[in-house]
Every structure is written in C-alpha cells, then in structure tokens.
C-alpha cells in the first residue's frame, strides 16, 4: 500500500516554478529555518497539512496534462519535498509513465538513497542555493550549505539538468564578494540550464503574524532597482543563462 503524502496546498496553473504551466504541489515539512521563508506554515512536519493519497495527485496532474503543452508539468515544492522522498517515489514512477514532466524545487539539504532515487526520476531540479558563504548560510537557514553543494555536484556528475535559484536579500545574501564566489563555484557546471536571480519580497509576512511568530527581517526593505542591476551585472559575467524574475 502506497504511503500518503503530506500536502500543504496546491496551485493549479503556476508559471514561476519551472518551465511552462505547472501544477504546483506544496508539501509539508522543511529542515531549514530561513529568516525570509515565504511559506513558514510549511516548515513544521505536520502543521495544517492534509494526508493525501498519491492517487489524487496523480489524477489531478493527468487531468491537467492537456493544458501543460510541450513544456509544462507538475512541480513539487514546499516546504522541502525531499523530506517525503520515500512516499513520493511510486507517484513519480506513475507520473513518468504517464508522460508528465516532473520538477522538484529543493534546497538540496536532505540526502539518502530515497532522495537519490527520487531525483533520478525527476526531469528538472530547481536547486535553491541560499548563500555560498558557509557562515552567512548558517545565519540565514540555521543549517550548513555543505550538502546543498554536494547535491549540485551530484546533479552535475549525473548529467542531470537543473536550474540554480538565488534570492537576493539586502544585507544577507547580496554581498558582492559572495556573488562572485557563487559565480566562480558554479560557472563551469554544464548541467545548469538556467540561473534565476529572485528579488527579496515580503509577501509572506502576514503568515508569521497568523502563526504568532515574529518576522525577524521586518526592517529589511525590498531590493532597489540599483541593487538588482548590480547583482545582475556580477552574475551575468559567469552565467549567460541568467534570468531576473
């Protein structure tokens, strides 16, 4: 009997989580505690999520397949999807057999045999690198970035295509030195199809209030156009495939 999957919510026609139109499934649970997390209600392993049959997700994805076109498909986001890797593997096998394109949006910090199998079944990985500097990464997330970098190396060595995503947070992840180090670290990776520079936003702040949590970055403003332009100038030296979202 297949295991149920803890689902937080869905987005029926997403356009920001992989190529084309996507059916986005936001899963529950994440080992990171990012200071700027836009979905803090997905961090807890249970939260207000619903135990969901893989059959339901499969049927929804297949029913939407006519809308996906040649590029779209299903994206598993979160939270951190790899936390539930073992339960997701049979679903991924069925989705692949049905010809549904699969993306996984991951911070790359969970690694075991189930995660490795899950990523082999994934068509495109969206790898969120929070910071290249270990100390600043730990400050932002509460965890090391060592495994995230190892996951990127595994994807590269396995010939597995991925997108690199980076959120530019003023005062936290926008140091020019770190942007250069990020570029130098990844510039020769052949499997990076796209690099996304994502502006910092405060759209999730109201969720902290609803949870009764203090939002620790309340004094940090969203990026100025000048900050984004400067970061883009630096990263484009290393990544011709850079996109600013």
């Amino acid at each position: 009997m297949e295991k149920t999957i803890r689902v937080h919510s869905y987005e029926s026609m997403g356009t920001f989580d992989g190529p084309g139109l996507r059916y986005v499934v936001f899963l529950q649970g994440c080992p990171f505690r990012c200071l700027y997390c836009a979905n803090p209600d997905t961090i807890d392993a249970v939260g207000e999520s619903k135990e969901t049959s893989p059959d339901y997700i499969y049927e929804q994805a297949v029913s939407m397949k006519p809308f996906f076109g040649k590029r779209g498909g299903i994206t598993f986001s979160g939270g951190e999807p790899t936390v539930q890797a073992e339960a997701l593997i049979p679903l991924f096998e069925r989705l692949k057999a049905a010809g549904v394109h699969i993306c996984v949006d991951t911070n790359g910090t969970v690694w075991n045999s189930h995660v490795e199998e899950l990523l082999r079944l994934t068509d495109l990985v969206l790898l969120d690198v929070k910071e290249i500097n270990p100390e600043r990464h730990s400050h932002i997330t509460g965890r090391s970035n060592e495994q995230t970098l190892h996951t990127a190396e595994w994807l590269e060595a396995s010939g597995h295509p991925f997108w690199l995503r980076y959120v530019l947070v003023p005062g936290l992840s926008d140091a020019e030195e770190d942007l250069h180090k990020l570029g130098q670290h990844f510039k020769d990776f052949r499997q990076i199809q796209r690099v996304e520079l994502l502006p910092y936003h405060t759209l999730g702040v109201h969720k902290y209030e609803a949870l009764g949590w203090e939002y620790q970055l309340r004094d940090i403003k969203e990026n100025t156009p000048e900050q984004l332009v400067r970061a883009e100038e630096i990263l484009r030296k290393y990544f011709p495939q850079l996109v600013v979202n």
Side-chain angles (χ1 to χ4, degrees), residues 47-108:
E48 297 181 359
S49 62
K50 181 179 179 181
E51 289 195 17
T52 305
S53 166
D55 290 340
Y56 175 79
I57 300 172
Y58 173 80
E59 290 163 5
Q60 288 292 104
V62 170
S63 72
M64 295 179 189
K65 193 177 175 185
F67 300 98
F68 293 153
K70 294 181 179 180
R71 300 177 66 238
I74 188 169
T75 296
F76 292 87
S77 187
E80 172 52 47
T82 57
V83 169
Q84 301 187 63
E86 184 177 3
L88 289 169
I89 287 169
L91 173 59
F92 277 36
E93 290 172 339
R94 293 172 64 191
L95 289 168
K96 282 194 76 69
V100 176
H101 184 276
I102 305 169
C103 282
V104 169
D105 184 3
T106 177
N107 57 39

Side-chain angles (χ1 to χ4, degrees), residues 216-233:
Q216 297 184 46
L217 304 185
R218 189 170 294 280
D219 295 333
I220 293 183
K221 307 298 182 185
E222 296 185 354
N223 307 102
T224 65
E226 292 77 17
Q227 288 171 338
L228 286 171
V229 166
R230 181 56 184 149
E232 180 182 1
E233 287 174 345

